[in-house]
Amino acid sequence: MSLLEIRAAGIWCAAGDFYLDPWAPVDRAIITHAHSDRARPGSRAYLTVREGERLLRAQVGPDAAIQTVEYAEVLSLGAARVSLHPAGHLPGSAQVRIEHGGEVWVFSGDYQLAPDATCTPFEPVRCHTFVTEATFALPVFHWPEAAETIAAIEAWWRANQEAGRLSVLYAEAPGPAQRVLAALDRCIGPIGAHPGIEQFNRIYRGQGIELGRLADHPTLLIAPPGTARAANASTAMVSGWMRIRGTRRRRALDRGFVLSGHADWPALLRAIDETGAATVWATHRHGAALARWLEENGRRAAALETRFGEGEA
Amino acid sequence: MKLFADLYAALDETTRTNDKVAALERYFSAAPPEDAAWAVSFLIGRRPKRLLESRKLAEWAIEEAGVPDWLFGECFNAVGDFAETIALLLPPPQSSTRLPLHYWIEERLLPMRDAGDDTRHAWLLEAWRAMDERQRFAWNKLITGEFRVGVSQNLVVRALAAWAPSGHGVPAETIAHRLMGEWQPAAEFWEQLMAPEQKSAEISRPYPFFLAYPLEGEIEELGAIGEWQVEWKWDGIRAQLIRRGGRTFLWSRGEDLITDRFPELAALGAELPEGTAIDGEVLPWKDGAPLPFAQMQRRIGRKILGNRILAEVPVVLVGFDLLEAGGTDVRERPLEWRRAKLERIAPNPTLVLSPVVTAASWEELKQRQEESRARKVEGFMLKRRGSPYRVGRRRGDWWKWKIQPYSVDAVLIYAEPGHGRRASLFTDYTFGIWDNGALVPFAKAYSGLSDEEIREVDAFVRRNTIGKHGPVHAVKPELVFELAFEGIQRSSRHRSGIAVRFPRMARWRHDKRADEADSIETIRALL
Ligand SMILES: [Zn+2]
């Protein structure tokens, strides 16, 4: 790597003297989005997109020094020109574009290409080198249309309701939980949210993102994965991992619904294509597989060992 | 095929019995009889044997999906199930098949056995291209001989009885009875299965076995000991010996006709009165006592039974119940009546009447249970006096009260990945015990840990591998587990000189260090 290099605290840009989603406290951190594997407390100064400021504050603490920018606004940091571009993963989630000495690098953060009413849609950014996530970088991971998944959730919920059963839907927050809340049809019945979800709902609502009504006596409860089960409830989970039967069965869930804030295999390949990048670095568990595939298909690529993806469902 | 794939998915998705029964009823209402017959046959576990080697299947799937071999391997590692990996990897279907299950089974799946590779390949592509993901998954499971579904036969029977076309209910017992024996999945069979009354029962057909649950709670909770008939619990092959129409049939509990395997019992059958069915246990037996079950395994393993093995390992039927007498089903008669009738059958050296154990109190019975190991039995069977012979596994009238298994503390020394959905985890373990300061392999065990514990052990193995032989990882000897097992004997084939039966992990001894595990001397003392 040249514009970026790996140091003990994370990925560092020498030209601009900043870190990208560092995993230890640093002087200046650019944060792609407010998930705990990306936004860790303790750094002296943070930079993020305005839309993501409140979510970031919930992660790194009320007193953290957070500077914000608009999408595509260009900053000069040291000798580097830096701008943030929509990644479609969370409100304020961004890809980081870094330009220096005629070279353009894009650091993707987590991203997702399909429509999501709760955040600004992904935009491809042309570059020479693309550092991409690879959470679901295997061809067995291809997602159904989100609308299809939402319809399946609604059918399951309706059937439970007819059987007099509570539906408990596990979803990560912030992100998938709010995406589902915003999409579900309130005509079917009352929906409730576990406090672990509601704490983020407040932030979403506070910045004008519509999530729909919530009720005190719901027939569908959205809850964080791992929260206790109620008796006589049907349990399900939304996640990309639900694509695999074994993960659903290991968690002893009744149903698994495939919906993810991450790009599936076809979307990853499309996104990489659209950057026009000659060189690709792939992070996460399946980074090596993605890199090998790209190499075999005429790109320079390598896997990059990071601490992203830790603790993900 | 779509209906069947949906049923398979619905049964997979719920653990609730009522939901499963409802899914089955929905299926039976919608499926044509030819399909329903096949579905029932698969659901009760009569799945076809593997029809195609996995290597071929993988090769063709890789070609159809247009991925390199290594990427297929990565996918399989992530998914952990072969049939599922292929179903997820294939490109979206080109059409959606409306062809029914029986077409796919009769015209494509079964003929594959005798077809050449080109035909098999063509048929496979035809199926994959016409099926959606769910259908492909069920289809791949059938082709690989791995089709399994989380329903018991009892549950299928219950759903069939509940669904039976209105106007003429068919009792669950009748359906269970009709499902036994040999039959061909076809529309005619389905009609017979659901018919209000059956005139010409196949003469070979056994009765469904009544199976006992393990005793729950304290023995005293069963009430007065006088209400119970106590027998030893024999450790052999549960079987039904039937004499009808001048012919003899010996059925195992797995519903295999095993008459040919036991000529002694075929001869016994010839001496039974016409219209007799005896329930009992086939045991290797000599000089009035059972031989170790391992002897029986020697015999079962052989294709041809020579005179020598027949002389070395003779078998008897230890009879304990009578289900049919004089051609009449007597299962509703009280236990004592059936027992008395069984006792009156002419004595024969190959028919041993399972003795009734007498004890004046539960306390005395507990004492007598200590004789179990010496008698080579597993403990007691408790049968309620006055009870009928029921169908399937039921609580209440029969209980098995087994002796506690043996147990030792052993150290995890090797681990290898499991199969199917456990393929991405290290789940198959070899345990060692101390012999002169070294750990010698003692037993392999796969079961007994929770998913949580399996993940922990898996993580341990990955961090502490000290050597590899193929898929087998040698690990740092640190983790201690209590192994439980049922039987123990000397063996020249095992490095420890000892072989145990049904070893399993009883618990993880977090409290013990490897050097505190048991030694070979402790274990020899159990012999
Ligand atoms: Zn994320």
Side-chain angles (χ1 to χ4, degrees), chain A residues 46-54 56-57 66-70 73 75 84:
Chain A
Y46 294 92
L47 176 72
T48 201
V49 171
R50 192 176 48 82
E51 263 181 65
E53 181 188 357
R54 295 188 204 196
L56 179 58
R57 205 169 277 293
I66 300 177
Q67 179 192 347
T68 64
V69 287
E70 298 297 325
E73 183 185 336
L75 289 182
L84 305 186

Side-chain angles (χ1 to χ4, degrees), chain B residues 228-391:
Chain B
W228 297 85
Q229 174 179 312
V230 183
E231 296 167 37
W232 298 109
K233 186 179 182 316
W234 302 99
D235 180 17
I237 299 173
R238 179 83 180 272
Q240 227 174 94
L241 184 65
I242 294 172
R243 181 70 180 175
R244 284 188 204 125
R247 294 173 61 192
T248 300
F249 307 95
L250 184 68
W251 289 95
S252 75
R253 212 193 93 194
E255 288 177 46
D256 288 318
L257 200 48
I258 52 173
T259 329
D260 295 345
R261 312 298 306 149
F262 301 101
E264 302 96 319
L265 303 182
L268 165 64
E271 294 180 29
L272 294 176
E274 173 64 21
T276 299
I278 298 174
D279 184 10
E281 198 91 14
V282 179
L283 283 170
W285 194 275
K286 225 176 194 175
D287 305 326
L291 296 168
F293 193 78
Q295 295 291 323
M296 178 78 124
Q297 275 160 339
R298 265 179 66 208
R299 182 172 158 162
I300 295 169
R302 308 212 172 185
K303 281 223 162 62
I304 296 160
L305 292 167
N307 286 334
R308 187 156 154 226
I309 191 90
L310 288 175
E312 278 176 13
V313 192
V315 300
V316 300
L317 179 69
V318 176
F320 47 68
D321 216 322
L322 186 70
L323 315 184
E324 184 175 316
T328 308
D329 178 353
V330 297
R331 292 176 298 161
E332 286 299 318
R333 300 277 191 160
L335 177 63
E336 300 88 323
W337 188 94
R338 301 195 309 274
R339 170 91 193 181
K341 200 93 177 159
L342 179 64
E343 286 172 3
R344 279 201 292 279
I345 289 178
N348 187 304
T350 49
L351 176 60
V352 174
L353 199 63
S354 176
V356 169
V357 182
T358 51
S361 65
W362 292 122
E363 204 44 49
E364 189 188 333
L365 195 64
K366 279 183 197 168
Q367 307 257 311
R368 294 214 56 189
Q369 205 186 23
E370 286 162 18
E371 299 166 29
S372 296
R373 274 197 189 105
R375 288 177 178 270
K376 301 195 183 67
V377 297
E378 297 179 304
F380 289 128
M381 286 296 305
L382 304 161
K383 299 177 178 176
R384 191 187 294 280
R385 294 188 192 278
S387 63
Y389 186 93
R390 299 184 184 276
V391 168

Side-chain angles (χ1 to χ4, degrees), chain A residues 32-38 89-90 93 109-111 133 135 174 261-262 284 309 312:
Chain A
T32 60
H33 66 279
H35 273 150
S36 58
D37 62 325
R38 300 285 188 164
H89 179 68
L90 275 191
S93 70
D110 294 339
Y111 64 93
E133 68 137 318
T135 311
H262 297 271
H284 290 77
E312 273 186 1

Side-chain angles (χ1 to χ4, degrees), chain A residues 137-142 165 232-235 243-246 248-251 253-255 265 286 288-290 292-293 296, chain B residues 8 12-16 19 66-68 70-71 74-75 78-79 81 84-85 88-90 133 137 141 421 424-425 451 455:
Chain A
L138 287 176
V140 288
F141 296 112
H142 43 94
R165 266 203 296 262
N232 191 32
S234 179
T235 54
R243 177 85 175 129
I244 292 177
R245 182 168 161 265
R248 171 171 65 74
R249 291 176 68 89
R250 269 195 288 280
R251 287 169 178 268
L253 298 161
D254 293 320
R255 295 291 298 273
W265 173 258
H286 297 302
L290 179 61
R292 183 163 171 192
W293 171 272
E296 288 182 2
Chain B
Y8 186 36
D12 187 55
E13 274 168 357
T14 180
T15 51
R16 286 187 189 80
D19 290 357
V67 297
W70 66 266
L71 191 51
E74 292 280 338
C75 290
V79 174
D81 181 287
E84 186 185 355
T85 304
L88 297 180
L89 256 183
L90 294 171
E133 235 165 54
F137 179 54
K141 282 279 177 195
R421 77 175 182 92
S424 59
L425 294 169
D451 285 352
R455 280 196 292 275

